[in-house]
């Protein structure tokens, strides 16, 4: 406890107090955004390295916070997780992404991020079914991206949920691959369709031999297990070429397009390729 200057004691320092007030305000604003609007999705193209065609896009959450402006997801998703709002936000994201993707050219898929806390809350399966039914999107056009955090505990139950989801015909990608402790073990244990090689490995490609070796190993191992690979955070032509040499199937990154509105993405996909 700290002396508060009026002879009494409070458990919070002014700094802690300020943070708490800020967090409460953020939570209240986020709740409002969910009810009244303010959240939206942008889409980053995913490109097939062989054909050069856009085959899908990752949905990334954005929030235009009144009076403050654009809030990056890293700032508000953690609060949504702590407060339990993430379940509703995740369900909204699935619904919105499926409704937007249904008007994309045939065969184009959309990838949606699922937070570990959202996963553990339950209700993901129902949210996926609701989004597919409401939008009419073909299950084969929906992919969910999960991180190692989802796989950490309760392996049997997690496995059962992932199998059920896959039974719907949607795909499951392992996001940020290589950043955790047990990526390899998880790849063997869980039914993934795709591995997303983390940006930290891609950014060192071309300057660092070990990054190259890691990418080659991840691609080789994924293929041995029948899993496709996509690299995230590809920013240079040299990185893209190295990835193609190593047999990586797909790429995503600023080189191929920044996250953009659904409308802009539809335009890009309709445009003839150079
Ligand atoms: P992530 O899933 O790893 O998403 C990729 C992030 O890398 C995105 O940041 C994207 O804009 C950025 N990025 C893409 N290409 C490049 C590149 O070439 N270079 C660099 N430097 N960065 C690139 P963003 O949109 O700020 O998202 C950050 C994180 O927030 C995401 O990381 C994800 O963990 C989380 N997130 C975003 N949207 C959602 C969502 O709808 N649900 C959940 N649960 N999490 C989300
Ligand atoms: Ca992701
Ligand atoms: Ca990622
Ligand atoms: Ca990442």
């Amino acid at each position: 406890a700290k002396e508060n200057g009026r002879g009494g004691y409070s458990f919070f320092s002014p700094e802690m107090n300020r943070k708490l007030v800020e967090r409460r305000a953020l939570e209240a604003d986020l709740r409002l955004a969910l009810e009244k609007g303010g959240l939206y999705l942008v889409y980053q193209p995913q490109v097939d390295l062989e054909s050069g065609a856009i085959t899908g896009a990752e949905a990334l959450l954005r929030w235009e916070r009144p009076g403050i402006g654009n809030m990056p997801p890293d700032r508000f998703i953690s609060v949504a997780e702590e407060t339990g709002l993430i379940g509703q936000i995740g369900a909204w994201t699935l619904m919105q992404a499926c409704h937007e993707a249904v008007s994309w050219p045939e065969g184009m898929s959309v990838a949606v991020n699922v937070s570990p806390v959202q996963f553990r809350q339950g209700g993901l399966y129902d949210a996926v079914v609701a989004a597919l039914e409401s939008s009419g999107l073909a299950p084969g056009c929906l992919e969910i991206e999960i991180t190692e955090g989802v796989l950490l505990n309760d392996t049997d139950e997690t496995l059962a949920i992932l199998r059920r989801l896959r039974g719907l015909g949607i795909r499951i990608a392992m996001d940020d691959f290589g950043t955790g402790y047990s990526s390899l073990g998880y790849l063997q244990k869980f039914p993934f369709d795709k591995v997303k090689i983390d940006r930290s490995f891609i950014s060192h490609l071309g300057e660092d031999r070990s990054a190259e070796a890691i990418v080659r190993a991840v691609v080789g191992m994924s293929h041995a297990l029948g899993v496709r690979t996509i690299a995230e955070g590809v920013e240079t032509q040299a990185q893209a070429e190295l990835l193609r040499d190593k047999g990586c199937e797909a790429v995503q990154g600023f080189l191929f397009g920044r996250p953009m509105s659904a409308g802009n993405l539809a335009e890009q996909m309709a445009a003839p390729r150079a």
Side-chain angles (χ1 to χ4, degrees), residues 111-159:
V112 176
N113 290 286
V114 170
S115 128
V117 178
Q118 177 192 357
F119 191 93
R120 259 175 263 129
Q121 268 186 9
L124 176 62
Y125 181 86
D126 290 345
V128 167
V129 169
L132 290 173
E133 279 179 356
S134 161
S135 64
L137 186 75
C141 295
L142 176 63
E143 189 169 291
I144 58 170
E145 296 192 0
I146 63 175
T147 52
E148 266 196 46
V150 167
L151 312 171
L152 282 179
N153 31 35
D154 225 336
T155 308
D156 286 346
E157 172 154 18
T158 303
L159 187 57

Side-chain angles (χ1 to χ4, degrees), residues 177-178 183-184 187 195 197 201 205 209-229 242-243 245-248:
F177 188 84
S183 301
L184 295 188
L187 194 53
V195 151
I197 308 170
F201 301 108
L205 271 183
R209 291 227 149 244
S210 67
E212 223 175 291
I214 287 169
V215 168
R216 187 185 309 118
V218 170
V219 171
M221 191 188 49
S222 300
H223 289 176
L225 294 168
V227 177
R228 294 170 61 81
T229 52
L242 269 166
L243 285 161
D245 288 348
K246 305 271 175 290
C248 182

Side-chain angles (χ1 to χ4, degrees), residues 1-200:
K2 294 215 157 110
E3 200 162 358
N4 70 11
R6 279 174 291 144
Y9 291 88
S10 78
F11 286 100
F12 299 114
S13 67
E15 167 69 4
M16 282 165 78
N17 221 335
R18 193 181 55 75
K19 284 217 169 108
L20 200 71
V21 168
E22 251 178 42
R23 231 195 60 130
R24 288 244 177 83
L26 194 148
E27 183 192 345
D29 285 358
L30 196 51
R31 242 176 240 286
L32 267 180
L34 203 49
E35 283 163 23
K36 305 232 147 83
L39 297 173
Y40 62 100
L41 297 177
V42 289
Y43 296 90
Q44 187 175 35
Q46 299 183 329
V47 172
D48 181 87
L49 268 175
E50 182 131 19
S51 66
I54 298 175
T55 53
E58 177 180 8
L60 295 158
L61 190 56
R62 296 291 180 266
W63 178 24
E64 189 63 32
R65 189 175 174 195
I68 292 187
N70 217 303
M71 296 281 293
D74 294 328
R75 291 260 316 273
F76 66 85
I77 283 174
S78 56
V79 175
E81 289 178 333
E82 287 163 35
T83 56
L85 272 178
I86 192 67
Q88 273 170 273
I89 290 179
W92 179 87
T93 302
L94 275 163
M95 187 61 79
Q96 179 74 3
C98 289
H99 274 274
E100 289 187 307
V102 79
S103 60
W104 295 352
E106 177 136 9
M108 216 64 76
S109 61
V110 66
V112 176
N113 290 286
V114 170
S115 128
V117 178
Q118 177 192 357
F119 191 93
R120 259 175 263 129
Q121 268 186 9
L124 176 62
Y125 181 86
D126 290 345
V128 167
V129 169
L132 290 173
E133 279 179 356
S134 161
S135 64
L137 186 75
C141 295
L142 176 63
E143 189 169 291
I144 58 170
E145 296 192 0
I146 63 175
T147 52
E148 266 196 46
V150 167
L151 312 171
L152 282 179
N153 31 35
D154 225 336
T155 308
D156 286 346
E157 172 154 18
T158 303
L159 187 57
I161 296 170
L162 292 177
R163 285 204 175 122
R164 257 184 103 208
L165 283 166
R166 232 164 149 244
L168 289 170
I170 72 167
R171 290 192 303 269
I172 300 172
M174 188 168 179
D175 202 358
D176 299 341
F177 188 84
T179 54
Y181 293 106
S182 324
S183 301
L184 295 188
Y186 290 138
L187 194 53
Q188 192 194 28
K189 201 173 298 164
F190 296 101
F192 288 105
D193 300 280
K194 203 185 262 188
V195 151
K196 204 161 189 187
I197 308 170
D198 191 67
R199 171 155 60 92
S200 56

